[in-house]
Amino acid sequence: MRSLLIVIFSMLCHFLLIFDYSSSYPLCTNKKSPFITNTTLSFCQYKGSTCCNSSDDMQIRNEFKAMKISDSGCASLLKSVLCAKCDPFSAELYRVESVLTRKVPVLCNSTRQNSTDFCSNVWNKCQNSSLVNSLFGSQVESPLNSTSKFSDMWKSKSTFCHTFGGSSEAGGVCFNGEHVSLNNTEVSSPPSGMCLEKINNGSYLNMVAHPDGSNRIFLSDQPGKIWLATVPEEGSGEVLVVDELDPFLDLTDEVFSDTEFGMMGLAFHPNFRDNGRFFASFNCDKVKWPQCSGRCSCNSDVGCDPAKLSSDNGAEPCRYHSVIAEFSANGSDAKPQEVRRIFTMGLPFTSHHGGQILFGPQDGYLYFMMGDGGGIGDPYNFSQNKKSLLGKIMRLDIDRIPSASKIAELDLWGNYSVPEDNPYSDDNELQPEIWALGFRNPWRCSFDLERPSYFICGDVGQEEFEEVDIVSKGGNYGWRVYEGPFLYNPPKSPGGNTTSSAIKPIFPIMGYNHSEINKAEGSASITGTENPKDSGNFTSTKIQVNCAMDSPIPCSDEFGSSVSGLGFIFSFGEDNRKDIFILSSNGLYRVVRPSRCNYVCSTENSTSPVSPRSPPQPSSSPSTGTRLRNYSMLELLFFSFTSFFSVCFFLVI
């Protein structure tokens, strides 16, 4: 069985996912997923997938009545505008990633779904209609609760629509008076292959762009060292140099590094340039390092008794811990020092610990990805247990640190506070730290650069299915009731069961079944795109992966056999130029323009000649360019569960 798994998962190591930047997915303005209602709302007339319940519907109705709109035609349009809050795509309509909170959706100036200029229609119908407390504000001061007309508040239709209008062609959706329907039939073609260049031979788990906006990056490895390095520009022919003997920070004395342990995450405070704060997530061994010790995640609060757990790989329960530590880089020549321990939690088993940390680009909070703790089929059902932090994504406020007495009073796991709008405010059964639940092992996640409200995670499967999820506030992603979209039956369940009828799982936007792998084909790459564009329908396509002939470090021979020379893909990274990098066991690779490997891509820009060492271009390809369009981390999200660690997950069962 083990040898078969080794063969299968060695072939899965090179799967990646590319999302189109304009793809849309149902999400509400509160960052939650829409829910299903079997009855039609009485006022807003939404049924099925919606972001409003009956109370929301009544509140919108009351708001509408309070406006006292004098013209029925205007009233009908403004009713639809108010009800756009209920649309399952309301996060897109209201542009929730915007710094400013909108009171109305983006009104279509033009749209591919409808030829009507809806914003102009609103102006034409409402400019002479009187109403109280307009949703649209005013360019002129007016008394509170005053009655006025659009033409009194705004100078012209063009000014009004410049302020409130938008276009679906701008990379998102807009409101045209009807429920959003993403039915565009335009099908875009993926590139004929993905081209890489190798710039370093080292093996790293984490890559973070320097917050100062320069071409420098931080790299960290599994044993616990962090380096600062400069990324050469694409096409320069230069390699990325890392001084192995002079790390930025060396935590190897604190970090316990083994098959599924080590330094797992690295994140820099949004204001790092001013405060020098950064954070590392790693595993430690309390036997070798007494400062490691913390509370065990198997405890009476979650219905687990550590004394009843057997040793795992020779280790007693909660010998190993997951830690987030804060460090300070004060700008001097001195090495960074640990400031405080943000989080410490003992682990019941020796696998499935996640460990990635990210700062939310909108809220500035720290997100912490945690696996189910290990064991076949999450035997203690930690992922569905709302009192356990295992199998969860947490959201922590590290800018407001409570006093020691307050931390003890709140029963926190370290030096942080809990954001007041975490899901526990709606579901008091949830531990306050939890942002989303139902994960097996969320190894790598990313916020979309174009729309930061879209939070994407790859979750490691058990035996059948690997998945990619769009994570929303309070969302339940099914494990261990489901493995991807399939019901899962655990072989043992001393921690009890959760029935499928007791949860409302959010299924993955895409993934793959292990049975779909073509063994004869060997290593492959999978791109996931929204097809047709703006349809909300994600599909996958296999493409070739190759090494550029003019790669700074030659790697063409690595791709010459049926098994790719990338080795095991650990993670991915992005620099301040928005170039994408693969972090693998064989080195650091940059994704470069397809034409450098003789691949054809319709979106490759034609602005500059190829390096003299580049291969000749086929006549069917576009002329060469400086680089492929800048993909966001959402667009090029690697199936991180196909990394070295996922191989180990399956080999230890």
PDB file of all heavy atoms in Angstrom, residues 340-360:
ATOM      1  N   ARG A 340       7.633  38.510  22.010  1.00  0.00           N
ATOM      2  CA  ARG A 340       6.612  37.820  22.797  1.00  0.00           C
ATOM      3  C   ARG A 340       6.122  36.592  22.044  1.00  0.00           C
ATOM      4  O   ARG A 340       6.300  36.475  20.842  1.00  0.00           O
ATOM      5  CB  ARG A 340       5.428  38.740  23.105  1.00  0.00           C
ATOM      6  CG  ARG A 340       4.709  39.263  21.880  1.00  0.00           C
ATOM      7  CD  ARG A 340       3.474  40.097  22.257  1.00  0.00           C
ATOM      8  NE  ARG A 340       3.820  41.284  22.989  1.00  0.00           N
ATOM      9  CZ  ARG A 340       4.116  42.449  22.423  1.00  0.00           C
ATOM     10  NH1 ARG A 340       4.134  42.563  21.107  1.00  0.00           N
ATOM     11  NH2 ARG A 340       4.415  43.501  23.150  1.00  0.00           N
ATOM     12  N   ARG A 341       5.508  35.700  22.787  1.00  0.00           N
ATOM     13  CA  ARG A 341       4.888  34.515  22.207  1.00  0.00           C
ATOM     14  C   ARG A 341       3.412  34.837  21.958  1.00  0.00           C
ATOM     15  O   ARG A 341       2.645  35.060  22.885  1.00  0.00           O
ATOM     16  CB  ARG A 341       5.039  33.334  23.169  1.00  0.00           C
ATOM     17  CG  ARG A 341       4.802  31.969  22.578  1.00  0.00           C
ATOM     18  CD  ARG A 341       5.817  31.608  21.515  1.00  0.00           C
ATOM     19  NE  ARG A 341       7.198  31.804  21.927  1.00  0.00           N
ATOM     20  CZ  ARG A 341       7.900  30.928  22.646  1.00  0.00           C
ATOM     21  NH1 ARG A 341       7.358  29.803  23.034  1.00  0.00           N
ATOM     22  NH2 ARG A 341       9.157  31.179  22.959  1.00  0.00           N
ATOM     23  N   ILE A 342       3.030  34.858  20.697  1.00  0.00           N
ATOM     24  CA  ILE A 342       1.657  35.200  20.346  1.00  0.00           C
ATOM     25  C   ILE A 342       0.707  34.038  20.601  1.00  0.00           C
ATOM     26  O   ILE A 342      -0.417  34.217  21.086  1.00  0.00           O
ATOM     27  CB  ILE A 342       1.567  35.620  18.861  1.00  0.00           C
ATOM     28  CG1 ILE A 342       2.391  36.890  18.607  1.00  0.00           C
ATOM     29  CG2 ILE A 342       0.119  35.844  18.427  1.00  0.00           C
ATOM     30  CD1 ILE A 342       1.886  38.116  19.329  1.00  0.00           C
ATOM     31  N   PHE A 343       1.158  32.826  20.287  1.00  0.00           N
ATOM     32  CA  PHE A 343       0.266  31.664  20.354  1.00  0.00           C
ATOM     33  C   PHE A 343       1.094  30.419  20.627  1.00  0.00           C
ATOM     34  O   PHE A 343       2.168  30.242  20.034  1.00  0.00           O
ATOM     35  CB  PHE A 343      -0.476  31.524  19.017  1.00  0.00           C
ATOM     36  CG  PHE A 343      -1.515  30.439  18.970  1.00  0.00           C
ATOM     37  CD1 PHE A 343      -2.849  30.718  19.218  1.00  0.00           C
ATOM     38  CD2 PHE A 343      -1.165  29.125  18.656  1.00  0.00           C
ATOM     39  CE1 PHE A 343      -3.819  29.727  19.156  1.00  0.00           C
ATOM     40  CE2 PHE A 343      -2.127  28.124  18.599  1.00  0.00           C
ATOM     41  CZ  PHE A 343      -3.454  28.428  18.850  1.00  0.00           C
ATOM     42  N   THR A 344       0.625  29.545  21.524  1.00  0.00           N
ATOM     43  CA  THR A 344       1.282  28.265  21.784  1.00  0.00           C
ATOM     44  C   THR A 344       0.215  27.217  22.066  1.00  0.00           C
ATOM     45  O   THR A 344      -0.619  27.402  22.955  1.00  0.00           O
ATOM     46  CB  THR A 344       2.235  28.344  22.992  1.00  0.00           C
ATOM     47  OG1 THR A 344       3.150  29.424  22.813  1.00  0.00           O
ATOM     48  CG2 THR A 344       3.021  27.052  23.152  1.00  0.00           C
ATOM     49  N   MET A 345       0.236  26.119  21.309  1.00  0.00           N
ATOM     50  CA  MET A 345      -0.771  25.062  21.501  1.00  0.00           C
ATOM     51  C   MET A 345      -0.141  23.699  21.284  1.00  0.00           C
ATOM     52  O   MET A 345       0.518  23.454  20.273  1.00  0.00           O
ATOM     53  CB  MET A 345      -1.943  25.248  20.536  1.00  0.00           C
ATOM     54  CG  MET A 345      -3.077  24.241  20.731  1.00  0.00           C
ATOM     55  SD  MET A 345      -4.548  24.620  19.735  1.00  0.00           S
ATOM     56  CE  MET A 345      -3.950  24.211  18.096  1.00  0.00           C
ATOM     57  N   GLY A 346      -0.339  22.790  22.253  1.00  0.00           N
ATOM     58  CA  GLY A 346       0.151  21.428  22.148  1.00  0.00           C
ATOM     59  C   GLY A 346      -0.647  20.627  21.136  1.00  0.00           C
ATOM     60  O   GLY A 346      -1.863  20.807  20.986  1.00  0.00           O
ATOM     61  N   LEU A 347       0.033  19.707  20.439  1.00  0.00           N
ATOM     62  CA  LEU A 347      -0.572  18.961  19.331  1.00  0.00           C
ATOM     63  C   LEU A 347      -0.782  17.499  19.716  1.00  0.00           C
ATOM     64  O   LEU A 347       0.128  16.865  20.262  1.00  0.00           O
ATOM     65  CB  LEU A 347       0.332  19.051  18.104  1.00  0.00           C
ATOM     66  CG  LEU A 347       0.612  20.483  17.634  1.00  0.00           C
ATOM     67  CD1 LEU A 347       1.783  20.504  16.658  1.00  0.00           C
ATOM     68  CD2 LEU A 347      -0.627  21.092  16.999  1.00  0.00           C
ATOM     69  N   PRO A 348      -1.966  16.947  19.430  1.00  0.00           N
ATOM     70  CA  PRO A 348      -2.260  15.578  19.873  1.00  0.00           C
ATOM     71  C   PRO A 348      -1.477  14.508  19.125  1.00  0.00           C
ATOM     72  O   PRO A 348      -1.131  13.480  19.693  1.00  0.00           O
ATOM     73  CB  PRO A 348      -3.764  15.448  19.600  1.00  0.00           C
ATOM     74  CG  PRO A 348      -4.043  16.408  18.483  1.00  0.00           C
ATOM     75  CD  PRO A 348      -3.097  17.556  18.714  1.00  0.00           C
ATOM     76  N   PHE A 349      -1.218  14.745  17.839  1.00  0.00           N
ATOM     77  CA  PHE A 349      -0.506  13.774  17.007  1.00  0.00           C
ATOM     78  C   PHE A 349       0.629  14.485  16.264  1.00  0.00           C
ATOM     79  O   PHE A 349       0.854  15.677  16.447  1.00  0.00           O
ATOM     80  CB  PHE A 349      -1.471  13.103  16.019  1.00  0.00           C
ATOM     81  CG  PHE A 349      -2.658  12.459  16.672  1.00  0.00           C
ATOM     82  CD1 PHE A 349      -3.924  13.009  16.531  1.00  0.00           C
ATOM     83  CD2 PHE A 349      -2.515  11.312  17.439  1.00  0.00           C
ATOM     84  CE1 PHE A 349      -5.029  12.425  17.133  1.00  0.00           C
ATOM     85  CE2 PHE A 349      -3.614  10.726  18.045  1.00  0.00           C
ATOM     86  CZ  PHE A 349      -4.875  11.283  17.900  1.00  0.00           C
ATOM     87  N   THR A 350       1.319  13.741  15.414  1.00  0.00           N
ATOM     88  CA  THR A 350       2.527  14.287  14.785  1.00  0.00           C
ATOM     89  C   THR A 350       2.321  14.663  13.322  1.00  0.00           C
ATOM     90  O   THR A 350       3.260  14.642  12.533  1.00  0.00           O
ATOM     91  CB  THR A 350       3.684  13.270  14.893  1.00  0.00           C
ATOM     92  OG1 THR A 350       3.299  12.047  14.260  1.00  0.00           O
ATOM     93  CG2 THR A 350       4.050  13.018  16.346  1.00  0.00           C
ATOM     94  N   SER A 351       1.111  15.016  12.935  1.00  0.00           N
ATOM     95  CA  SER A 351       0.870  15.430  11.553  1.00  0.00           C
ATOM     96  C   SER A 351      -0.297  16.403  11.485  1.00  0.00           C
ATOM     97  O   SER A 351      -1.008  16.614  12.471  1.00  0.00           O
ATOM     98  CB  SER A 351       0.595  14.206  10.662  1.00  0.00           C
ATOM     99  OG  SER A 351      -0.543  13.502  11.119  1.00  0.00           O
ATOM    100  N   HIS A 352      -0.474  17.003  10.294  1.00  0.00           N
ATOM    101  CA  HIS A 352      -1.597  17.907   9.998  1.00  0.00           C
ATOM    102  C   HIS A 352      -1.617  19.127  10.914  1.00  0.00           C
ATOM    103  O   HIS A 352      -2.563  19.356  11.664  1.00  0.00           O
ATOM    104  CB  HIS A 352      -2.944  17.175  10.109  1.00  0.00           C
ATOM    105  CG  HIS A 352      -3.042  15.929   9.316  1.00  0.00           C
ATOM    106  ND1 HIS A 352      -4.167  15.138   9.301  1.00  0.00           N
ATOM    107  CD2 HIS A 352      -2.156  15.304   8.500  1.00  0.00           C
ATOM    108  CE1 HIS A 352      -3.966  14.101   8.515  1.00  0.00           C
ATOM    109  NE2 HIS A 352      -2.743  14.191   8.023  1.00  0.00           N
ATOM    110  N   HIS A 353      -0.568  19.943  10.815  1.00  0.00           N
ATOM    111  CA  HIS A 353      -0.468  21.113  11.674  1.00  0.00           C
ATOM    112  C   HIS A 353      -0.551  22.425  10.915  1.00  0.00           C
ATOM    113  O   HIS A 353      -0.394  23.493  11.512  1.00  0.00           O
ATOM    114  CB  HIS A 353       0.863  21.084  12.451  1.00  0.00           C
ATOM    115  CG  HIS A 353       1.115  19.789  13.143  1.00  0.00           C
ATOM    116  ND1 HIS A 353       2.360  19.192  13.193  1.00  0.00           N
ATOM    117  CD2 HIS A 353       0.270  18.947  13.788  1.00  0.00           C
ATOM    118  CE1 HIS A 353       2.271  18.047  13.848  1.00  0.00           C
ATOM    119  NE2 HIS A 353       1.024  17.872  14.218  1.00  0.00           N
ATOM    120  N   GLY A 354      -0.769  22.365   9.594  1.00  0.00           N
ATOM    121  CA  GLY A 354      -0.859  23.610   8.819  1.00  0.00           C
ATOM    122  C   GLY A 354       0.335  24.497   9.120  1.00  0.00           C
ATOM    123  O   GLY A 354       1.481  24.131   8.916  1.00  0.00           O
ATOM    124  N   GLY A 355       0.057  25.692   9.619  1.00  0.00           N
ATOM    125  CA  GLY A 355       1.122  26.559  10.107  1.00  0.00           C
ATOM    126  C   GLY A 355       1.329  27.849   9.358  1.00  0.00           C
ATOM    127  O   GLY A 355       2.105  28.702   9.802  1.00  0.00           O
ATOM    128  N   GLN A 356       0.666  28.043   8.216  1.00  0.00           N
ATOM    129  CA  GLN A 356       0.862  29.297   7.493  1.00  0.00           C
ATOM    130  C   GLN A 356       0.227  30.456   8.262  1.00  0.00           C
ATOM    131  O   GLN A 356      -0.811  30.303   8.909  1.00  0.00           O
ATOM    132  CB  GLN A 356       0.245  29.215   6.103  1.00  0.00           C
ATOM    133  CG  GLN A 356       0.539  30.449   5.243  1.00  0.00           C
ATOM    134  CD  GLN A 356      -0.219  30.461   3.938  1.00  0.00           C
ATOM    135  OE1 GLN A 356      -1.211  29.743   3.787  1.00  0.00           O
ATOM    136  NE2 GLN A 356       0.220  31.262   2.991  1.00  0.00           N
ATOM    137  N   ILE A 357       0.849  31.627   8.193  1.00  0.00           N
ATOM    138  CA  ILE A 357       0.280  32.846   8.766  1.00  0.00           C
ATOM    139  C   ILE A 357       0.269  33.931   7.693  1.00  0.00           C
ATOM    140  O   ILE A 357       1.196  34.045   6.896  1.00  0.00           O
ATOM    141  CB  ILE A 357       1.057  33.324  10.015  1.00  0.00           C
ATOM    142  CG1 ILE A 357       2.564  33.358   9.753  1.00  0.00           C
ATOM    143  CG2 ILE A 357       0.734  32.457  11.224  1.00  0.00           C
ATOM    144  CD1 ILE A 357       3.384  33.883  10.929  1.00  0.00           C
ATOM    145  N   LEU A 358      -0.813  34.714   7.670  1.00  0.00           N
ATOM    146  CA  LEU A 358      -0.988  35.789   6.696  1.00  0.00           C
ATOM    147  C   LEU A 358      -1.674  36.967   7.361  1.00  0.00           C
ATOM    148  O   LEU A 358      -2.541  36.779   8.214  1.00  0.00           O
ATOM    149  CB  LEU A 358      -1.879  35.333   5.533  1.00  0.00           C
ATOM    150  CG  LEU A 358      -1.373  34.325   4.516  1.00  0.00           C
ATOM    151  CD1 LEU A 358      -2.522  33.914   3.603  1.00  0.00           C
ATOM    152  CD2 LEU A 358      -0.239  34.914   3.705  1.00  0.00           C
ATOM    153  N   PHE A 359      -1.314  38.173   6.956  1.00  0.00           N
ATOM    154  CA  PHE A 359      -2.064  39.349   7.381  1.00  0.00           C
ATOM    155  C   PHE A 359      -3.137  39.647   6.339  1.00  0.00           C
ATOM    156  O   PHE A 359      -2.863  39.662   5.138  1.00  0.00           O
ATOM    157  CB  PHE A 359      -1.149  40.564   7.542  1.00  0.00           C
ATOM    158  CG  PHE A 359      -0.433  40.597   8.856  1.00  0.00           C
ATOM    159  CD1 PHE A 359       0.889  40.176   8.959  1.00  0.00           C
ATOM    160  CD2 PHE A 359      -1.076  41.043   9.996  1.00  0.00           C
ATOM    161  CE1 PHE A 359       1.547  40.193  10.170  1.00  0.00           C
ATOM    162  CE2 PHE A 359      -0.432  41.060  11.224  1.00  0.00           C
ATOM    163  CZ  PHE A 359       0.886  40.640  11.316  1.00  0.00           C
ATOM    164  N   GLY A 360      -4.356  39.870   6.806  1.00  0.00           N
ATOM    165  CA  GLY A 360      -5.431  40.229   5.900  1.00  0.00           C
ATOM    166  C   GLY A 360      -5.164  41.586   5.274  1.00  0.00           C
ATOM    167  O   GLY A 360      -4.886  42.552   5.998  1.00  0.00           O
TER     168      GLY A 360
END
